Amino acid sequence: MTGRHSLRGGTGRAVALFFLAPLVGEYLLGNTPITDVSSLFLFAPLYGGGALLIRETARRRGRCWPTIILLAAAYALLEEGPVDMMLWNPSYGGFDIAAAYSGTYVPALGTSVQMLQDVLSMHTVWSVCVPIALVESFGRDHDHAVPWLGRFGVTVTAVLFVAGAALLAAAQIAQTRFVAAPGELAWCSAAIVALVVAAFALRPRPAAAVAVAAPPAPWMVGATAFGVTSVYWGREFLGDGVSQWAVAAAWFVLVAVSVALGVRWCRRPGWGAAHRLALAGGALLTYAWVGVSHARDLDVPRTVALTGNIVFGVGAVVLLAIGARAVRRRGSAAAI
């Protein structure tokens, strides 16, 4: 396969990722109603541009998913930190954020531990990694880790991303008159830089030479991903008497177990495209049911909100079916 063929075939996938990231991050989650589809073009430069730049940067340098995940975490802090400053705005979006997250507030950070956990979870997993994994499954290339764009395409994407971030930042400041303190912006910026440095400090490691065991079947990987991510969102249904610090501590345990299990599985011979798609698919379906829960908070009629849940939920299932068909057609079993 020539580089020119790879780039030409990847243009469509790049466009798909550009729009899929906000569709998952905003619409499937139920934060934006189906009647506000026009906002997709406002979300895409930031969500889609960020996901596409992360994917292209990692793949161009021969990096794998650990790099993508760390860059996605840096993106999460960038979007909700210096860009729209949700981390510190006590009334962001017209909601009493300060009260909702008061249980784990840390004065030195100007925000709460649970707020940071939510920002990292939602954007790292759903805004970036899930859309990338889904779109990578659509291609016909045996090697999923090839660049999709040339220099011109990457430059255009970067310009759109910067413009989208600047527009959002300006709009938030104009609307709320809120600007984070210099110290708050400083520690967040330092964390972003640290995550980016860590992302490129990681070096791809060869797969284990000895096959100790085969990875689980894709359906089991998907079911596990659905279960783990559903447990994370299940904290919304806990009673008021539950300690928020205990919930925050449980998040660290859940992440540690998930990472350990994922690393263990993906390094087994036989781990491939079907498993990666199943991992993303399980998380995607979690957003489908969470979106139904979030729809009740939208400022639109309940029927409109539920229509959006159905449309985007069915769309998620269709995407998974298309990806599964493409994976079966290729018979891909490339290691992560």
Side-chain angles (χ1 to χ4, degrees), residues 6 43 61 127 165 175 187 193 200 232 247 252 272 308 312 318:
S6 300
F43 294 133
R61 287 161 176 75
S127 297
Q175 180 179 356
W187 74 252
V193 171
F200 291 105
Y232 161 71
V247 176
F252 286 107
F312 294 118
V318 170

Side-chain angles (χ1 to χ4, degrees), residues 16-283:
L17 177 58
F18 188 77
F19 289 105
L20 180 60
L23 282 171
V24 173
E26 285 289 332
Y27 293 89
L28 182 63
L29 179 59
N31 283 351
T32 304
I34 193 172
T35 50
D36 191 17
V37 175
S38 61
S39 290
L40 176 64
F41 297 97
L42 298 177
F43 294 133
L46 187 62
Y47 280 82
L52 188 52
L53 285 175
I54 288 170
R55 195 265 173 198
E56 289 298 287
T57 300
R59 298 312 191 192
R60 282 172 170 272
R61 287 161 176 75
R63 301 309 175 90
C64 301
W65 275 99
T67 294
I68 292 176
I69 292 170
L70 287 173
L71 290 178
Y75 164 86
L77 292 180
L78 176 66
E79 179 180 330
E80 306 297 3
V83 174
D84 73 3
M85 291 177 276
M86 185 183 76
L87 284 176
W88 307 290
N89 190 339
S91 56
Y92 181 87
F95 296 98
D96 192 354
I97 297 291
Y101 286 96
S102 61
T104 57
Y105 180 78
V106 178
L109 299 177
T111 189
S112 77
V113 172
Q114 284 185 301
M115 168 71 82
L116 284 169
Q117 290 174 339
D118 283 350
V119 163
L120 289 169
S121 299
M122 289 189 288
H123 287 307
T124 302
V125 176
W126 285 280
S127 297
V128 177
C129 292
V130 166
I132 289 176
L134 285 172
V135 179
E136 282 191 343
S137 72
F138 300 156
R140 298 180 180 179
D141 302 321
H142 179 72
D143 183 2
H144 67 281
V146 296
W148 290 341
L149 298 174
R151 290 184 179 179
F152 177 76
V154 172
T155 300
V156 171
T157 303
V159 170
L160 289 173
F161 174 72
V162 172
L167 179 63
L168 177 60
Q172 288 295 334
I173 293 174
Q175 180 179 356
T176 65
R177 303 297 180 183
F178 176 86
V179 178
E184 295 167 343
L185 293 171
W187 74 252
C188 189
S189 298
I192 292 168
V193 171
L195 286 168
V196 172
V197 171
F200 291 105
L202 292 175
R203 297 290 180 181
R205 296 175 57 188
V210 179
V212 293
W219 71 264
M220 185 177 294
V221 173
T224 301
F226 178 79
V228 168
T229 52
S230 292
V231 167
Y232 161 71
W233 281 102
R235 82 218 188 316
E236 294 190 352
F237 304 101
L238 295 175
D240 294 335
V242 178
S243 167
Q244 295 305 300
W245 280 111
V247 176
W251 181 90
F252 286 107
V253 174
L254 188 66
V255 170
V257 171
S258 301
V259 170
L261 191 60
V263 170
R264 180 180 177 85
W265 283 352
C266 75
R267 292 191 58 77
R268 291 181 179 179
W271 177 273
H275 298 90
R276 291 190 294 272
L277 177 62
L279 198 62

